[in-house]
Amino acid sequence: MIIDIAADPAAGITSAVEALGRGAVIAVPTETVYGLAADATNEAAVAQIFEIKRRPSFNPLICHCSDLEMVSAFATLDPVSLRLAERFWPGPMTLVLNSKPGRLPPVTTAGLTTVAIRIPMGFSNGLIRAYGRPLAAPSANISGRVSATTAAHVESEFGDGVPLIFDGGPTKIGVESTILRVCENGIELLRPGGLPIELVEHAAGLQVSAPNLFKVLAPGMLTSHYAPRAMVRLNATRVGPGETLLKFGDAIVPGEGACARVFNLSPEGGLEEFAAKLYATLKEADDAGAESIAIVPIPDEGLGLAINDRLRRAAAPRTLTLGELEQAAVRSKEAR
Ligand code: TXA
Ligand code: MG
């Protein structure tokens, strides 16, 4: 059932709190994408998230908190993380922090000694505050697929598998949070996302760099992720007959007169607008039966970093080899 929270936000929070209290999994809007949420301290409820999402159990969840006081009950904040937290929370940033032992069940953190934490904005923030405990919430999609940015997308992804979907309209940012880990030599970027790294570097006075991939298991380690059903072709400078075209800016793309369908996500060339519409457009193209989606080049700066990261994964080969899965499992063991 989809519940419109704009109509009566207080009633929405009351029924969400009730559902969380009995260990249910619910779908809630955040400013980035919709999340599939359960009480992060309730082992059975979190286990259900993994089942519904068909997510490998070695892939840990983000714990969503309402404020810094709640964060510090579950994790320790080093001085740089604290500075970033004060500057960018609530907002589209996730910090991987050292967890306080014994506060969260291992199912939530995949048994790691670190925990990914974020303070979201809007309805989900008010909900966590009212509930009084953190929510474990991955993006509301079947593992490996495009994240949902509308309540209708969540419903079409899970059907009755998620009985309560709280509808806050299309999400504002449209790509997932930026995931960071502060370490001795600076800040590692585990996943580019809704918070541009230029802003992070400016606030911290430190460089943000690529992580040591053998140390951390993050979502991007699985090559294909955020993928629509259609094939995806990147940096397209022309479009073939029968292809679906995703445009950025108003320049004519050779072949567009004869292609199957054209979506212009931002005629004015705004990365924010493109990011906000990206997943819903991929979903719409899929639903219309697109076989191949051609996407024009997107600048690699600001939100473009997150957009290009998702597009590369959407375009990656779909079947994981057994070798890739085994490697991921080994890295996950090493990370523990
Ligand atoms: O915007 C977002 O971050 C959304 C909304 C719902 O908050 N959530 C989201 O969650 O994208 P999810 O589970 O789809 O992606 C979070 C990723 C996971 O794939 C996981 O690999 C990584 O964060 N992660 C979680 N805990 C981690 C940890 N301790 N160390 C490294 N990576 C971690
Ligand atoms: Mg996800």
Side-chain angles (χ1 to χ4, degrees), residues 1-2 150-160 165:
M1 184 172 55
I2 294 187
T150 63
H153 186 168
V154 179
E155 189 177 44
S156 85
E157 192 79 357
F158 298 106
D160 296 338
I165 300 170

Side-chain angles (χ1 to χ4, degrees), residues 33 53 55 138-141 144-145 147 176 191 219 225-226:
V33 296
K53 214 180 133 71
R55 179 176 177 115
S139 52
N141 54 280
R145 306 243 305 249
S147 302
E176 302 80 355
R191 178 177 74 182
H225 209 88
Y226 312 104

Side-chain angles (χ1 to χ4, degrees), residues 46-318:
V46 174
Q48 264 192 72
I49 296 181
F50 281 89
E51 205 177 302
I52 295 172
K53 214 180 133 71
R54 290 186 237 149
R55 179 176 177 115
S57 61
F58 58 74
N59 196 356
L61 304 180
I62 297 176
C63 276
H64 297 69
C65 295
S66 54
D67 48 50
L68 277 178
E69 197 186 326
M70 188 182 280
V71 174
S72 36
F74 295 91
T76 38
L77 282 146
D78 58 275
V80 175
S81 294
L82 181 61
R83 182 169 342 149
L84 294 174
E86 283 174 338
R87 173 74 183 75
F88 296 115
W89 278 342
M93 173 184 76
T94 296
L95 294 174
V96 172
L97 302 168
N98 292 329
S99 59
K100 295 193 170 160
R103 306 284 170 91
L104 289 167
V107 63
T108 305
T109 57
L112 300 176
T113 54
T114 55
V115 58
I117 295 198
R118 159 165 129 77
I119 299 183
M121 296 167 127
F123 176 79
S124 46
N125 190 294
L127 170 59
I128 300 161
R129 195 173 298 277
Y131 187 60
R133 264 179 265 171
L135 298 187
S139 52
N141 54 280
I142 305 281
S143 200
R145 306 243 305 249
V146 171
S147 302
T149 54
T150 63
H153 186 168
V154 179
E155 189 177 44
S156 85
E157 192 79 357
F158 298 106
D160 296 338
V162 181
L164 280 184
I165 300 170
F166 292 88
D167 185 355
T171 58
K172 201 175 109 230
I173 295 174
V175 289
E176 302 80 355
S177 60
T178 300
I179 307 184
L180 303 168
R181 166 85 166 139
V182 175
C183 44
E184 286 144 39
N185 324 324
I187 304 172
E188 286 181 345
L189 177 67
L190 304 190
R191 178 177 74 182
L195 178 67
I197 58 166
E198 293 87 339
L199 297 184
V200 175
E201 291 185 327
H202 186 254
L206 288 168
Q207 279 231 303
V208 173
S209 58
N212 175 351
L213 284 184
F214 287 94
K215 233 174 49 194
V216 198
L217 185 80
M221 303 206 63
L222 300 177
T223 324
S224 170
H225 209 88
Y226 312 104
R229 281 189 201 89
M231 296 314 296
V232 175
R233 198 162 66 76
L234 303 185
N235 297 316
T237 49
R238 54 173 29 260
V239 56
E243 276 194 310
T244 293
L245 175 67
L246 263 57
K247 278 179 59 159
F248 176 71
D250 55 8
I252 302 285
V253 177
E256 74 175 87
C259 73
R261 217 165 157 197
V262 180
F263 292 94
N264 195 339
L265 282 73
S266 177
E268 273 147 42
L271 289 166
E272 281 78 13
E273 193 183 5
F274 190 96
K277 292 183 183 162
L278 177 63
Y279 291 151
T281 307
L282 289 173
K283 162 94 173 127
E284 195 180 334
D286 251 357
D287 290 349
E291 276 174 17
S292 169
I293 303 175
I295 307 177
V296 302
I298 306 297
D300 221 6
E301 62 191 25
L303 273 188
L305 211 65
I307 294 169
N308 282 320
D309 172 79
R310 303 305 187 271
L311 290 178
R312 274 194 297 276
R313 291 183 210 297
R318 296 303 157 74

